[in-house]
Amino acid sequence: MDFDFSQEQRLLQETARSFFTQECSTKRVRELMATPTSSDDKLWSALTEQGWTGMTLSEEVGGLGFGLVDLCVVAEEMGRACLPGPFFSTYWAAALLENAGTPAQRKPLLEAIASGDKKSTVAWLEHGTDWKPESIAMTATTDGDNVLLTGRKVFVTDAASADVILVVVRQGKSWAVAPVPSNAKGLAIRDLVSMDETRKLSDVTLEEVTIKESQLLAVAKADDLQRANDIASVVLCAELVGVMQLLMEMSIEYAKSRQQFDKPIGSFQGVQHQCADMLLYTESSRSAAYYAAWALGTRDASASQAAAIAKAYCSEAGRLVGNHACQVHGGIGFTWEHDLHLYYKRTKLAEVLLGPPTFHRERIAAIILDT
Amino acid sequence: MDLNLSESELEFQQSLRNWLSKNCPKPWAGKQRGPDHINYLRDWQRTLYDGGWAGIHWPKEYGGRGATPIEQAIFQEEMARANAPEQISVIGLMIVGPTIIAVGTEEQKKRYLEKILSCEEIWCQGFSEPNAGSDLASLSTRAVEDGDHFVVNGQKIWTSFAHIADWCLLLARTNPNVPKHKGLTALLVDMHSPGVEAKPLRQMSGEADFNEVFFTNARVPKANVFGQINDGWTSAVATLMNERANLGSGLYVLSKKFFEGLVERAKEHLSASQSVTKDPIARQRIAQAFVELEVYRLNTLRALSKLSKMGMPGPEGSILKLFWSEMNQRTNQIAMEILGLEGQLKSVDDGKWVFNYLRCRANTIEGGTSEIMKNIIAQRVLGMPKSY
C-alpha cells in the first residue's frame, strides 16, 4: 500500500504549479471574473494543449488515459490558482458521459471534450429539487425521429461559456442525457449574479428544444448518474484542498510578518492555534479527497461512500479554513484588494455545489443505519 | 498512489488471520481490571509472544518481526476483527521498548527487551508530576548520586499501569543548577525496590486507570541510567515521539469498536416510539461521527505510508493525536445525545457509555494537551515563531 504521490504524480504537480503560476495569476483571475463567462480562449487553449480536459479519458477519444488521482493532482493546483472558467464543469460533463448511451453516441462528445473543442456543462437541478437522481422530473417527449425538451434547469455552472449543455432528464424509471448546443433554438440562458464570480451560475430554460432521438443518451441506473456527481465532487474536493493549502500558507506568511505589540502576531498562541487547526483541516481533507479519487478511479466497493465522506468533510473543512484565514488576516483580509476573498468565495460555493454536507451525511446514514 | 495491499502485505494479513483463528481467546466476561482479568491479559500477551506476534514492529534482532508501519496497521485491524483482547504490556511494546532499542546499552537491551515481549515484565512511564504537566522539563523528583547508586525522592502522577508494573522508565532531576532541560536523567527503576510505592488514583469516572507513585530514598543502581547522565531530555523526547506515533492505529481500532457499538445500540434505542435511527438529526450526527472516523483512518494510513518511505512522519502525522482526541470527545457527545437518560445509567452495557464519556475528557490532556499539540504544530511544522 502506498498512500502517497508517485514520482510521476509529483512531476505532474510541479508541471501544473508552474503552468498556473505563469498562466493564471490572481491579477488574471480578477480580469476574467469581471467578464460574463470568467473564461477566455487564450487560457482555455493553453489548458487544453496540456491535454488536461482529456486527462482520464481513453486514448480512443483522444484522452491521456490517466487515473482520477492524477486528475486530482492537477485539480488541486487549479484550486491553488483559483482557476476561473469551465474546466470543472467540462469534466463533470465528461464524467456523466462515461456511463451514458452507447460508445458510438458518446465518442464524438468525448472527443470534443478531450480536444478542448467543446466546453461543456451539466444541467441537473430543477426548481426546488435536491441532488438525488430520483428528484429529476423534467422529461423528453418523442416527436417522430426527434425529442422535444421543455422545462427549466437551475444553477447550471458555466452555462455562460459552455458550447454543449448536458441536460439530464427522466425517462420513466430510468434517465437520459440530452446534449444540447448552447445556441439551440428554444434554449435561453439567464446569467445569475452570485458570490463566487470565478464560477458562473445560470438558469437554463428550454422551450421545445429539439434534438434527434438518436442523440439522446440513455442512463439505466441511478448509480451511473450518482457516479458522475461523485467524480465531479471529488474533483471539487481536490480543488478545495488546493484552496485550503493556499489560504493556510497565506495566513502563516501574514502572521509571521504582521507586527503588533512589537512582535509578529504569529508568535501568539491565539493565532498559532488557528493556523494549526488549518493544517488539521487541510491535511485531513487531502486524505479524504485522494482516497475517494483512488476508490472511484479503481471502482473500489467503497467508492460511493468515500465520495460522500470526502464531500461532507472537505465542504466543512473548506469553510472553517476560510473563516480562520479571514480571522488571522484581520482587517486587510476583509478588503476587496486582498486576494483572500477570491479563495474564500470558492470554499463557500464548493460547500453547497453538488450537495451540502447534510445531503452527503444522509447518504452515509442510509448506508450505515438502514442496511 | 496505490491503496491496494501489496502481495507481501496480503500474505502477512493472511498468516495473522490464520493464527488468530486458532489462538484468539474468548472475550473476557468477568469483572474488568481485577487480578483475574490482569492474568487473562498476561496470558494473551504470552500467547502472542509464543506465536511470534508480540512487538511486530521491533527489529528482528530484538525479537520483533521488523514489520512495516502498514503491517502494524493491518495487525491492529486484524486484532479488532477477531475481537482480540487488548495488549497489557502496551507501554513496554509501544513506548519503552522502542526507546530502549534507540537509546539503551547492549546490556540493557539484553536484560529488558525480551521480557517486555513475553510480558514477563510490565512497564510504566514515570514522567508527569503534580507540578510538571505540559511543562514536563520543570519536574522536581530528585536523583542524587550516592556511590554506585542514585537515591530517588519525589512523586509522579498519572502513571498508567504503575500498580501492576515491574519496571518504570523514570525521569528525575540530577542537576538542579543548570537550565531545566539540561539537568534531567532517565533511570530504569525496579518498581519492587524499597521506597517505591504506587497508589491508584481514582478518576472522575470512579475507576482508577492511573496511579500516583511515591519515591522515598529509593536506590537505583548506576547501571540503570538510561542514555547519558543529565541527558534525560533526549530520551524523554524520543519516548514522547514513540508514544504519539505508535498509538495511532491502535486508537483507530478502539474508536471503530466504539462506533460500531453506538450504531448497534442506536438501532435498538427508541425515541418517540421508533428507533432513534429514523430521526433525521440523529442520522446526521451518527453519519458525522462516521465521516470523522474514516478520515482519521485515512490520515493514519497516509502518515504510515510517509513513515515507511521517509523514515519519519509528514505533517499529517503531527495532527493524528489532536484529531483523535477531539474526535473521540465529539463521538462520545453524540452517543450521549442519542441515548438520552439511558446513557446516564451504569447498568446499560456495563456502564460503557458513562465510563467512555467521562474518560474521554482526559484525551485532550494526556500525552500532550491539545494546546501543546497545536503549539508544536505551529512552531515545528508550520515554522511560526516560538511563543514561550
Side-chain angles (χ1 to χ4, degrees):
Chain A
M1 177 190 289
D2 182 13
F3 198 167
D4 191 14
F5 288 167
S6 64
Q7 201 55 38
E8 291 77 13
Q9 284 160 344
R10 261 178 222 298
L11 279 173
L12 182 62
Q13 184 185 40
E14 279 170 32
T15 308
R17 185 161 305 181
S18 59
F19 173 86
F20 289 112
T21 308
Q22 193 147 14
E23 301 286 338
C24 188
S25 64
T26 50
K27 182 167 168 284
R28 185 110 185 88
V29 173
R30 284 170 183 265
E31 286 162 8
L32 289 175
M33 77 186 195
T35 70
T37 59
S38 75
S39 164
D40 74 353
D41 290 345
K42 184 173 167 278
L43 183 54
W44 185 255
S45 36
L47 268 177
T48 54
E49 270 165 34
Q50 299 290 325
W52 289 334
T53 53
M55 188 115 191
T56 64
L57 303 181
S58 70
E59 286 164 25
E60 284 159 45
V61 297
L64 299 179
F66 282 31
L68 195 53
V69 171
D70 306 309
L71 175 65
C72 284
V73 171
V74 176
E76 185 181 333
E77 296 307 314
M78 291 175 172
R80 188 184 174 88
C82 204
L83 174 73
F87 181 88
F88 160 78
S89 299
T90 300
Y91 229 99
W92 184 10
L96 183 60
L97 291 169
E98 189 188 33
N99 290 303
T102 63
Q105 279 180 312
R106 351 183 232 271
K107 193 167 183 234
L109 294 162
L110 288 171
E111 278 172 346
I113 287 178
S115 65
D117 285 350
K118 293 247 163 38
K119 299 175 201 123
S120 307
T121 189
V122 177
W124 182 290
L125 283 183
E126 294 164 20
H127 183 66
T129 61
D130 64 13
W131 292 89
K132 278 205 273 298
E134 291 81 3
S135 305
I136 292 169
M138 191 176 154
T139 54
T141 329
T142 310
D143 178 26
D145 288 345
N146 294 331
V147 287
L148 304 181
L149 300 153
T150 298
R152 183 178 157 214
K153 290 283 184 178
V154 297
F155 305 117
V156 182
T157 54
D158 299 306
S161 53
D163 302 300
V164 177
I165 299 176
L166 301 183
V167 181
V168 189
V169 295
R170 199 69 194 250
Q171 292 275 74
K173 285 195 169 154
S174 59
W175 292 263
V177 173
V180 177
S182 55
N183 58 2
K185 192 165 163 280
L187 183 90
I189 297 169
R190 186 170 65 90
D191 296 341
L192 305 166
V193 181
S194 64
M195 187 196 288
D196 178 2
E197 295 176 72
T198 64
R199 184 162 280 154
K200 305 295 184 191
L201 299 176
S202 306
D203 268 10
V204 175
T205 313
L206 301 96
E207 186 74 48
E208 297 202 333
V209 171
T210 310
I211 64 164
K212 290 227 165 61
E213 191 172 22
S214 59
Q215 290 178 332
L216 196 66
L217 294 92
V219 181
K221 296 194 305 268
D223 285 355
D224 291 338
L225 282 182
Q226 186 57 56
R227 181 174 162 82
N229 284 10
D230 284 345
I231 290 172
S233 293
V234 167
V235 173
L236 201 55
C237 288
E239 259 194 19
L240 265 175
V241 171
V243 168
M244 285 186 244
Q245 179 74 33
L246 193 89
L247 284 168
M248 176 175 73
E249 289 174 14
M250 226 182 216
S251 304
I252 293 165
E253 234 14 78
Y254 182 73
K256 283 199 224 170
S257 61
R258 165 80 172 170
Q259 302 261 338
Q260 289 289 277
F261 306 102
D262 302 320
K263 282 180 181 166
I265 60 166
S267 64
F268 301 124
Q269 291 189 9
V271 173
Q272 291 190 345
H273 290 187
Q274 299 208 38
C275 294
D277 280 334
M278 283 193 246
L279 181 78
L280 183 143
Y281 295 132
T282 305
E283 291 300 334
S284 301
S285 298
R286 200 185 297 282
S287 303
Y290 281 98
Y291 177 76
W294 176 82
L296 282 162
T298 57
R299 293 184 180 263
D300 188 78
S302 71
S304 180
Q305 176 180 296
I309 287 170
K311 185 63 173 65
Y313 189 86
C314 296
S315 294
E316 306 249 16
R319 182 187 69 230
L320 293 165
V321 168
N323 289 346
H324 282 334
C326 204
Q327 187 67 22
V328 168
H329 277 81
I332 190 75
F334 187 67
T335 62
W336 185 265
E337 185 194 353
H338 199 282
D339 286 339
L340 190 145
H341 71 96
L342 304 176
Y343 294 91
Y344 188 86
K345 292 166 183 172
R346 266 292 170 86
T347 66
K348 215 56 202 159
L349 174 57
E351 183 182 338
V352 287
L353 187 58
L354 288 157
T358 44
F359 176 80
H360 294 282
R361 283 196 292 261
E362 176 49 40
R363 287 175 67 198
I364 294 160
I367 297 169
I368 56 185
L369 296 175
D370 302 341
T371 49
Chain B
M1 189 175 292
D2 179 7
L3 290 150
N4 288 309
L5 294 184
S6 69
E7 215 158 285
S8 67
E9 287 161 353
L10 281 169
E11 216 169 273
F12 175 89
Q13 184 185 48
Q14 198 51 52
S15 76
L16 177 56
R17 232 174 241 189
N18 291 343
W19 184 85
L20 277 169
S21 70
K22 291 184 201 108
N23 294 285
C24 186
K26 284 201 180 71
W28 179 253
K31 192 177 168 316
Q32 294 280 327
R33 293 155 216 275
D36 291 346
H37 186 213
I38 302 287
N39 285 334
Y40 164 85
L41 293 175
R42 277 184 188 264
D43 288 347
W44 168 233
Q45 185 72 47
R46 177 78 205 187
T47 309
L48 281 167
Y49 171 71
D50 291 338
W53 294 103
I56 54 157
H57 58 296
W58 293 18
K60 284 186 181 150
E61 52 180 313
Y62 300 117
R65 274 182 182 247
T68 64
I70 298 293
E71 287 169 342
Q72 289 173 60
I74 296 171
F75 180 84
Q76 295 290 355
E77 292 236 19
E78 290 303 316
M79 288 291 150
R81 201 171 162 272
N83 207 11
E86 65 197 83
Q87 294 189 54
I88 192 168
S89 57
V90 60
I91 304 264
L93 290 171
M94 298 297 180
I95 302 169
V96 177
T99 318
I100 292 180
I101 291 169
V103 184
T105 63
E106 281 313 308
E107 291 76 44
Q108 287 168 343
K109 290 175 187 171
K110 276 202 196 91
R111 166 65 189 80
Y112 299 109
L113 289 177
E114 194 176 351
K115 288 184 192 269
I116 290 176
L117 293 177
S118 66
C119 203
E120 214 172 307
E121 291 175 346
I122 291 179
W123 281 75
C124 63
Q125 174 194 341
F127 279 20
S128 290
E129 295 184 5
N131 290 316
S134 291
D135 184 10
L136 180 62
S138 72
L139 61 84
S140 59
T141 291
R142 287 279 278 126
V144 177
E145 286 191 67
D146 180 23
D148 51 4
H149 281 73
F150 276 101
V151 178
V152 179
N153 280 287
Q155 183 197 346
K156 294 289 171 181
I157 195 168
W158 307 120
T159 322
S160 309
F161 300 103
H163 61 301
I164 54 167
D166 303 288
W167 287 90
C168 176
L169 174 59
L170 180 81
L171 203 55
R173 186 163 305 283
T174 36
N175 185 349
N177 304 317
V178 289
K180 59 186 180 181
H181 293 85
K182 294 185 174 160
L184 302 175
T185 301
L187 299 169
L188 308 176
V189 181
D190 182 348
M191 290 294 285
H192 306 294
S193 53
V196 181
E197 190 194 3
K199 272 170 60 178
L201 181 64
R202 202 168 176 210
Q203 67 219 28
M204 69 198 292
S205 67
E207 281 85 357
D209 283 346
F210 305 95
N211 300 271
E212 294 175 286
V213 186
F214 297 90
F215 297 89
T216 317
N217 294 323
R219 295 181 70 79
V220 181
K222 278 192 174 162
N224 290 13
V225 167
F226 187 52
Q228 303 299 312
I229 292 177
N230 292 327
D231 190 31
W233 189 246
T234 310
S235 352
V237 170
T239 310
L240 290 173
M241 289 191 24
N242 276 316
E243 177 171 355
R244 288 166 192 159
N246 284 341
L247 299 179
S249 42
L251 291 175
Y252 165 68
V253 167
L254 275 182
S255 296
K256 187 180 177 205
K257 277 189 177 176
F258 182 82
F259 179 78
E260 285 168 354
L262 173 61
V263 168
E264 211 172 295
R265 170 57 56 193
K267 282 181 175 170
E268 290 165 12
H269 184 84
L270 298 182
S271 168
S273 307
Q274 60 173 0
S275 165
V276 71
T277 57
K278 303 284 177 216
D279 174 73
I281 293 174
R283 292 168 72 79
Q284 287 284 318
R285 301 287 281 149
I286 294 171
Q288 179 61 23
F290 184 70
V291 167
E292 293 185 19
L293 179 64
E294 260 302 284
V295 172
Y296 178 71
R297 178 178 79 92
L298 299 172
N299 279 341
T300 308
L301 289 181
R302 259 181 78 216
L304 293 174
S305 279
K306 198 53 94 43
L307 195 60
S308 307
K309 274 162 87 166
M310 320 291 280
M312 56 172 152
E316 62 287 338
S318 63
I319 61 175
L320 290 179
K321 198 268 171 186
L322 183 63
F323 193 114
W324 179 82
S325 56
E326 302 199 333
M327 169 185 82
N328 198 39
Q329 291 181 348
R330 285 191 292 268
T331 307
N332 270 281
Q333 169 59 24
I334 291 168
M336 282 296 174
E337 284 171 31
I338 284 173
L339 299 181
L341 283 167
E342 220 178 305
Q344 299 283 310
L345 299 182
K346 292 202 172 184
S347 55
V348 173
D349 295 331
D350 207 17
K352 164 175 152 183
W353 309 103
V354 177
F355 172 77
N356 278 290
Y357 181 76
L358 294 171
R359 179 64 183 81
C360 78
R361 296 324 309 167
N363 296 157
T364 48
I365 302 168
E366 59 200 335
T369 63
S370 286
E371 288 71 22
I372 289 287
M373 299 314 295
K374 288 182 189 181
N375 293 345
I376 291 174
I377 291 169
Q379 292 163 29
R380 302 212 196 125
V381 182
L382 303 180
M384 299 178 81
K386 279 190 164 307
S387 64
Y388 53 90

